[in-house]
C-alpha cells in the first residue's frame, strides 16, 4: 500500500511506477542498480545529502517495491518508465544511475528523454557484448522460471564478479531477503546489459560524468574510463571507496558539483537568449 510519502506516475504501457521526492531545486532522478528498490536502496543517505541542492526523485524500477510490472520485459519499457518519472519531475531533469541503473539512464538519454546531464557510477558497459553474456542470461532466466530465486540471486552475484566474501556476508540477512524478493528482475538487468555497448554512447548528446571507485577491480574502472572517452561529452572521475561502491559524502559532493555546474551553464544560456 502506498504511504502519504509515495507518488505514482504511469508509464507508456500502463505500468504504474511509484516514486518519492524530497528537497528543492532542479529535479534529479536517481536510478537504482540491480536488486535494489526504495525499500532496499543503494542511495540511503545520498538522497538526503543531495536534497539541499536538488529536488530528488527516487523510484522503484518496474517489478520492484511498489511499482507494478507489465510483461514481456523490454529495455524500451524501462526507458519509458524513466521518461514518465522525468515528466512528473518537470523535465528537463538530471539523472544519476548506479551500475545497471546507469545503463537505464544511458538508454534514456540516447532515446531522447529530456535529460540535462547524466552521472554514472561504474556502468557495466563493454565496447561490445562479451562472448557468453547470452548464456549467462539464459541460465539466469532458467533458474528464475523454475522458481529457484535464492539460487538465481547467488548465481547473478557470482557471475558479475561480486567477491565471495561480500556475497557470503549477505546470506541469511534482511538484505539478502530483499534481493531475493525481486529476483525475477535480475533477468531484466541481464537483458539490459546484453543490449548495451559503446554504440549506445554515440547517441548521448548531453554532458555525462562517469565515476568509478578507487577500490574497484580493473574491469570496472577500465569500463568506466573507456565509457567516458566514448561519450561525446563525457568526463571521468575516481572517488574513494571499496569494490563497486564509493564514499557517500564524496559522491554527494561530486554530483552536486557536476550537476550544479551544468545547471548554472543552462541558466546562462537561457539568460543570453532573452
Amino acid at each position: 500500500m502506498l504511504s502519504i510519502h509515495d507518488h505514482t506516475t504511469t508509464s507508456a504501457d500502463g505500468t504504474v511506477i511509484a516514486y518519492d521526492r524530497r528537497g528543492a531545486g532542479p529535479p534529479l532522478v536517481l536510478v537504482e542498480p540491480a536488486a535494489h528498490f526504495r525499500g532496499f536502496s543503494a542511495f540511503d543517505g545520498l538522497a538526503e545529502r543531495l536534497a539541499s541542492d536538488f529536488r530528488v526523485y527516487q523510484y522503484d524500477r518496474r517489478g520492484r517495491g511498489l511499482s507494478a510490472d507489465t510483461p514481456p520485459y523490454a529495455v524500451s519499457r524501462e526507458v519509458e518508465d524513466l521518461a514518465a518519472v522525468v515528466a512528473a519531475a518537470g523535465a528537463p531533469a538530471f539523472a544519476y544511475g548506479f551500475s545497471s541503473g546507469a545503463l537505464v539512464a544511458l538508454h534514456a538519454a540516447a532515446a531522447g528523454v529530456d535529460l540535462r546531464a547524466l552521472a554514472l557510477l561504474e556502468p557495466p558497459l563493454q565496447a561490445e557484448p562479451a562472448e557468453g553474456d547470452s548464456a549467462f542470461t539464459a541460465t539466469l532466466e532458467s533458474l528464475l522460471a523454475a522458481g529457484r530465486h535464492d539460487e538465481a540471486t547467488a548465481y547473478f552475484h557470482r557471475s558479475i564478479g561480486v567477491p565471495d566474501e561480500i556475497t557470503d556476508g549477505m546470506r541469511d540477512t534482511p538484505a539478502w531477503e530483499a534481493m531475493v524478493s525481486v529476483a525475477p528482475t535480475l533477468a531484466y538487468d541481464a537483458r539490459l546489459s546484453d543490449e548495451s555497448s559503446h554504440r549506445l554512447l554515440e547517441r548521448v548528446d548531453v554532458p555525462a560524468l562517469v565515476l568509478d571507485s578507487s577500490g574497484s577491480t580493473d574491469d570496472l574502472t577500465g569500463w568506466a574510463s573507456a565509457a567516458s572517452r566514448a561519450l561525446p561529452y563525457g568526463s571521468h572521475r575516481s572517488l574513494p571507496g571499496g569494490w563497486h561502491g564509493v564514499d557517500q559524502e564524496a559522491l554527494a559532493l561530486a554530483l552536486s558539483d557536476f550537476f550544479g555546474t551544468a545547471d548554472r551553464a543552462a541558466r546562462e544560456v537561457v539568460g543570453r537568449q532573452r
Side-chain angles (χ1 to χ4, degrees):
M1 178 180 296
L2 294 174
S3 77
I4 60 173
H5 302 293
D6 289 298
H7 305 270
T8 63
T9 186
T10 303
S11 193
D13 68 354
T15 302
V16 174
I17 302 297
Y19 68 91
D20 59 48
R21 66 182 181 222
R22 71 196 74 188
L28 166 57
V29 181
L30 308 182
V31 191
E32 297 274 5
H36 287 71
F37 52 101
R38 290 177 303 148
F40 174 58
S41 178
F43 304 134
D44 283 345
L46 178 64
E48 289 80 1
R49 289 181 172 93
L50 293 170
S52 60
D53 297 314
F54 303 94
R55 191 167 72 256
V56 181
Y57 290 76
Q58 284 183 266
Y59 74 102
D60 293 332
R61 289 171 57 190
R62 63 173 50 215
R64 312 180 192 196
L66 296 177
S67 288
D69 199 1
T70 304
Y73 176 79
V75 173
S76 60
R77 289 184 165 187
E78 280 237 64
V79 168
E80 291 167 350
D81 298 345
L82 179 52
V85 176
V86 168
F94 299 120
Y96 165 64
F98 175 23
S99 196
S100 64
L103 297 183
V104 174
L106 284 167
H107 276 275
V113 174
D114 199 357
L115 297 169
R116 296 169 64 180
L118 307 176
L120 315 160
L121 176 58
E122 295 189 343
L125 183 66
Q126 302 178 66
E128 295 292 340
E131 185 176 345
D133 281 357
S134 59
F136 160 68
T137 302
T139 299
L140 181 63
E141 290 179 338
S142 178
L143 289 170
L144 293 168
R148 296 157 64 182
H149 291 184
D150 188 275
E151 187 177 346
T153 302
Y155 173 73
F156 180 88
H157 282 76
R158 183 171 62 251
S159 298
I160 66 171
V162 178
D164 289 341
E165 60 269 22
I166 294 179
T167 301
D168 292 343
M170 290 188 295
R171 299 299 292 264
D172 301 319
T173 68
W176 187 262
E177 293 175 3
M179 289 187 287
V180 171
S181 74
V182 294
T185 65
L186 295 174
Y188 300 174
D189 292 281
R191 290 269 303 278
L192 180 63
S193 181
D194 291 346
E195 296 182 32
S196 302
S197 73
H198 279 199
R199 290 190 297 274
L200 172 70
L201 304 183
E202 299 169 0
R203 306 197 305 275
V204 177
D205 61 357
V206 297
L209 172 63
V210 187
L211 300 161
D212 64 31
S213 169
S214 61
S216 281
T217 46
D218 290 345
D219 55 347
L220 292 171
T221 58
W223 293 344
S225 178
S228 71
R229 295 192 300 270
L231 285 158
Y233 304 101
S235 57
H236 175 247
R237 182 173 176 181
S238 292
L239 297 177
W243 183 85
H244 203 37
V246 295
D247 177 80
Q248 293 294 286
E249 184 64 33
L251 175 58
L253 290 172
L255 295 179
S256 292
D257 179 63
F258 175 67
F259 289 132
T261 299
D263 184 54
R264 288 190 294 272
R267 291 176 184 273
E268 289 174 2
V269 170
V270 171
R272 289 195 297 268
Q273 292 173 343
R274 287 177 176 172

